Amino acid sequence: MKENNIRNFCIIAHIDHGKSTLADRLLEYTGTLQSFQMKEQILDDMDLERERGITIKSHPIQIQYHPDKKTVYILNLIDTPGHVDFSYEVSRSLAACEGAVLLVDASQGVEAQTVSNTYLALENDLEIIPVINKVDLPGAQVEAVKRQLIDLTGCGEKDIILTSAKTGTGIPELLQAIIERIPPPERDFNKPSRALIFDSVFDNYRGAIPYVRVFEGSFEPGQKLKSFATRKIYEITEVGTFHLKKVPAAVLKAGDVGYFVAQIKNILDLKVGDTITTLENEAKSPLKGYQEMKPMVFSGLYPVNSDEYEELRQSIEKLQLNDASLRYEPETSEALGFGFRCGFLGLLHLEIVQERLEREFDQNLVTTIPNVEYHVIDKNGKLIIVDTPSKMPPAGDIDQVEEPYVKAEIITPPEFIGNLMSLTQEKRATYINTHYLDPTKVQLIYEIPLAEIIYDFYDKLKTVSRGYASLDYEFIGYKPGKLVKLDILINNESVDALSVILHQDNAFFQGRKLVQKLRSLIPRHLFEIPIQAAIGNKVIARENVKALRKNVTAKCYGGDITRKRKLLEKQKEGKKRMKQVGRVQVPQEAFLAVLQLGDDK
């Protein structure tokens, strides 16, 4: 095969702009899959991906395209995840390509992730092919979207391809553009071997399998594979390429996309973005761009029944085999018993892990309030990492608290700017910039504390913009803030699972709302239950759950009044003693109360 007949490309788009459907049409048109093999979203394996309409795990596939009887082109489509939580994986998939198909919905136009994915593609020096999809819809605004794409990418109007992934319109033109515009990979077989890991999966029989793009040299079975990040060495037993399934090959050379099997027992030994080489033809330096994936959101996962702790541990271990970005460690809570403190890439990642544990492993879970990681500097200058409120030192020992900030990019129609500015002020955002993409689309840039985004920001953004606004964000670093730990005391005992770290200015309001909500959720007992919100030793809000009254004088149908008084006094003493030794049953809904604090604002 001639070297100029390979094209490595990916499709980038905002959620629900038709990326998976376009991939289906490309596979169908090129005859890569027969009609009986086709189904909607063929590259999305999980039920969750189909239900939510998003790609969670990337799925590469090799397409053989015959524009005429003589020529065969090998098109390696490297699918990318479709959510901001997985932006690092997207960047590594882009690094494995020479070109990108930028897909925009004709009725929605350019949205937040369209912009951020375009910038990622430009950073990786990719050739961008702008495509407007869903042109057959009644609400398609093709001319307006063309102007937005020209403004975003600087392309000419004739460079934009119009398609309908549903009907197959424009697919031949798109394939021709991929061949003509995307440059073939440089293929130097004599240089030291280097390949980029852009994803990995775990196979129960063959271990962890890295998905790679070979940049230099070659890899074949029998060679020793070496990772730059972990320094581990394994023997390659199989190499191959992707069709609908993995197909073994004799060798993977520079320019190829494929996989290695090397009996790697632990998926944590494979890092997305890492470079691998061979001992036989060892490279001295890795490819650029590798970063350690860091969890941004932390939450506790506990079994509803404490006897199922061991089952939950095994389930999380199995899930981590196919999701190396999930971090977990054992944790104990006085209120919830034994569980795990888990680190996630974002709130969507948390939801996906929780749903997969419940669906695939039949687990009943209680999930605690999501937290971000704070940096606390004490009076002695020591840095303390706080990823759960229980690790927060006493207020008197703290010199400074720093919280993570993100750069948020909101794209909205102009009529909702006022609503969005009010929302961002509530969330302690700092305004940076406004840019009009065209008369119907405005880009707003803010710096916002990550803690304010992970609760309900996205839901409120959609509410105040009637669903039209879109959000994308990236982590930019830590900044000092006036943050305090709010403790909840039930019957004078602190409940660690209900504690929360928040801004000092919001503490009184949030504390009062939380105790009011808990009062309605905690059932009445035979004794009065005080519910208090406190910062340190200072109680800032209090509510009482009234005691259930048992009618102890019912049996006294006559006689002296002193008999009734004696029974009432005895009951009073019993209630007093019960209040000291009685245990309060806190229902599971109470632990979720903090998540709904902003709902009735």
Side-chain angles (χ1 to χ4, degrees):
M1 188 200 316
K2 295 178 184 177
E3 67 174 68
N4 63 357
N5 282 14
I6 294 180
R7 301 290 184 274
N8 298 320
F9 74 102
C10 59
I11 305 172
I12 52 176
H14 192 80
I15 294 168
D16 203 29
H17 278 212
K19 181 159 64 75
S20 297
T21 312
L22 184 70
D24 291 351
R25 292 294 79 73
L26 290 172
L27 297 176
E28 193 174 45
Y29 183 83
T30 54
T32 303
L33 299 180
Q34 302 303 315
S35 56
F36 69 87
Q37 294 176 294
M38 286 302 298
K39 59 182 178 181
E40 283 193 21
Q41 293 171 252
I42 188 79
L43 297 183
D44 293 344
D45 295 0
M46 295 182 218
D47 291 338
L48 265 177
E49 291 181 310
R50 295 173 181 282
E51 285 169 23
R52 287 172 175 254
I54 58 173
T55 300
I56 296 166
K57 190 84 174 158
S58 68
H59 300 268
I61 193 164
Q62 188 181 95
I63 299 169
Q64 291 198 3
Y65 177 47
H66 303 257
D68 52 56
K69 290 182 180 177
K70 296 179 182 176
T71 320
V72 180
Y73 285 94
I74 299 295
L75 311 179
N76 290 311
L77 167 57
I78 300 175
D79 199 16
T80 56
H83 193 273
V84 60
D85 285 3
F86 309 109
S87 58
Y88 175 65
E89 286 98 318
V90 173
S91 75
R92 295 303 84 208
S93 294
L94 292 175
C97 303
E98 277 79 36
V101 173
L102 177 64
L103 196 65
V104 179
D105 187 323
S107 58
Q108 305 276 345
V110 168
E111 297 200 58
Q113 270 176 265
T114 317
V115 177
S116 65
N117 285 337
T118 304
Y119 291 155
L120 279 174
L122 291 170
E123 281 172 26
N124 285 284
D125 294 327
L126 300 193
E127 180 65 40
I128 295 173
I129 300 174
V131 174
I132 300 176
N133 192 27
K134 305 186 187 181
V135 293
D136 57 325
L137 288 181
Q141 301 171 346
V142 176
E143 292 308 313
V145 178
K146 275 185 182 178
R147 288 193 297 273
Q148 292 170 15
L149 271 173
I150 291 166
D151 184 51
L152 176 64
T153 63
C155 65
E157 189 174 337
K158 65 179 187 304
D159 298 329
I160 299 170
I161 297 170
L162 307 181
T163 66
S164 168
K166 218 56 167 181
T167 63
T169 305
I171 299 300
E173 291 84 352
L174 176 58
L175 283 164
Q176 197 59 36
I178 289 168
I179 290 166
E180 290 174 1
R181 296 192 213 170
I182 295 175
E186 292 180 13
R187 310 193 75 193
D188 194 332
F189 307 136
N190 301 318
K191 282 188 177 179
S193 300
R194 292 199 298 182
L196 171 75
I197 301 176
F198 61 84
D199 200 4
S200 60
V201 294
F202 191 84
D203 185 290
N204 288 330
Y205 302 104
R206 303 198 286 177
I209 299 174
Y211 291 178
V212 298
R213 154 70 199 275
V214 182
F215 277 87
E216 292 162 359
S218 61
F219 294 80
E220 55 189 83
Q223 292 182 331
K224 292 280 196 302
L225 172 155
K226 181 182 177 183
S227 155
F228 273 93
T230 62
R231 316 305 294 177
K232 298 281 179 73
I233 296 171
Y234 296 97
E235 184 176 341
I236 300 173
T237 57
E238 180 183 309
V239 300
T241 56
F242 303 104
H243 294 274
L244 193 54
K245 300 193 182 305
K246 299 178 182 70
V247 178
V251 64
L252 282 184
K253 295 183 177 180
D256 291 339
V257 174
Y259 67 91
F260 298 151
V261 177
Q263 303 301 323
I264 301 169
K265 300 286 192 297
N266 190 348
I267 201 163
L268 295 177
D269 290 345
L270 296 175
K271 310 281 187 183
V272 172
D274 186 19
T275 305
I276 48 181
T277 184
T278 59
L279 293 184
E280 288 78 4
N281 193 12
E282 190 173 347
K284 300 296 180 211
S285 61
L287 298 161
K288 292 178 182 176
Y290 171 68
Q291 294 173 8
E292 188 74 35
M293 273 197 288
K294 290 185 179 177
M296 299 299 289
V297 175
F298 298 84
S299 180
L301 296 181
Y302 293 84
V304 170
N305 184 350
S306 55
D307 296 339
E308 295 172 357
Y309 170 78
E310 193 57 33
E311 285 179 37
L312 177 59
R313 184 182 63 78
Q314 291 171 5
S315 300
I316 293 176
E317 281 178 359
K318 286 176 184 173
L319 186 61
Q320 195 190 36
L321 292 175
N322 279 309
D323 187 355
S325 55
L326 174 64
R327 301 281 187 271
Y328 71 95
E329 59 182 37
E331 182 182 59
T332 309
S333 161
E334 289 176 20
L336 300 171
F338 292 103
F340 295 93
R341 190 83 191 156
C342 299
F344 306 93
L345 298 174
L347 211 57
L348 177 80
H349 189 208
L350 187 160
E351 285 176 33
I352 287 163
V353 168
Q354 185 184 344
E355 276 199 54
R356 288 187 69 187
L357 285 169
E358 288 172 350
R359 286 186 188 195
E360 297 173 26
F361 301 97
D362 205 24
Q363 294 292 315
N364 285 327
L365 299 174
V366 176
T367 309
T368 63
I369 309 144
N371 286 295
V372 298
E373 188 175 87
Y374 296 95
H375 289 176
V376 178
I377 299 162
D378 66 11
K379 300 282 188 186
N380 300 321
K382 182 185 172 187
L383 176 67
I384 302 163
I385 305 294
V386 175
D387 59 14
T388 176
S390 60
K391 292 182 182 177
M392 193 78 159
D397 298 344
I398 296 172
D399 181 46
Q400 183 175 286
V401 182
E402 294 180 343
E403 61 180 331
Y405 268 72
V406 295
K407 181 183 175 185
E409 177 187 305
I410 300 166
I411 292 185
T412 177
E415 59 264 33
F416 302 116
I417 289 178
N419 295 348
L420 288 166
M421 285 191 163
S422 300
L423 173 63
T424 49
Q425 277 182 333
E426 269 179 40
K427 299 294 184 182
R428 302 190 284 123
T430 306
Y431 170 77
I432 303 296
N433 192 14
T434 301
H435 173 60
Y436 279 81
L437 299 174
D438 72 7
T440 64
K441 289 268 181 179
V442 183
Q443 180 190 46
L444 301 170
I445 307 290
Y446 285 93
E447 288 182 3
I448 310 179
L450 179 60
E452 298 287 354
I453 280 188
I454 65 169
Y455 287 123
D456 58 357
F457 183 77
Y458 187 73
D459 292 340
K460 286 189 170 182
L461 179 87
K462 289 293 183 187
T463 303
V464 300
S465 68
R466 297 186 204 155
Y468 285 106
S470 59
L471 169 73
D472 191 77
Y473 60 86
E474 61 174 333
F475 174 69
I476 55 172
Y478 280 79
K479 293 185 181 183
K482 294 191 290 183
L483 299 157
V484 292
K485 178 187 172 189
L486 180 73
D487 286 311
I488 299 298
L489 289 79
I490 297 177
N491 201 21
N492 301 313
E493 284 187 20
S494 177
V495 181
D496 55 352
L498 289 172
S499 297
V500 62
I501 298 169
L502 40 72
H503 196 266
Q504 193 174 336
D505 296 347
N506 301 332
F508 174 74
F509 175 73
Q510 298 282 50
R512 188 158 52 82
K513 283 187 74 174
L514 185 52
V515 294
Q516 286 172 351
K517 189 160 269 195
L518 289 172
R519 186 187 66 177
S520 63
L521 291 170
I522 293 173
R524 291 169 71 184
H525 290 55
L526 290 170
F527 53 93
E528 187 178 74
I529 304 167
I531 304 170
Q532 298 164 305
I535 297 172
N537 296 323
K538 183 182 177 184
V539 175
I540 60 170
R542 173 178 172 138
E543 293 283 343
N544 291 330
V545 178
K546 298 289 184 193
L548 281 170
R549 185 175 180 276
K550 184 180 176 184
N551 191 356
V552 292
T553 61
K555 59 189 175 185
C556 299
Y557 49 85
D560 198 327
I561 187 67
T562 55
R563 287 183 65 201
K564 290 187 177 181
R565 282 187 182 149
K566 189 177 177 184
L567 285 168
L568 289 168
E569 285 298 321
K570 192 175 178 184
Q571 184 189 40
K572 192 176 175 182
E573 285 297 316
K575 282 186 181 291
K576 190 176 177 182
R577 190 167 65 253
M578 198 184 288
K579 188 171 181 177
Q580 292 170 345
V581 299
R583 297 281 297 170
V584 179
Q585 295 296 318
V586 182
Q588 287 170 26
E589 299 84 57
F591 298 112
L592 303 176
V594 182
L595 292 174
Q596 282 93 43
L597 273 182
D599 287 0
D600 46 314
K601 256 188 191 179

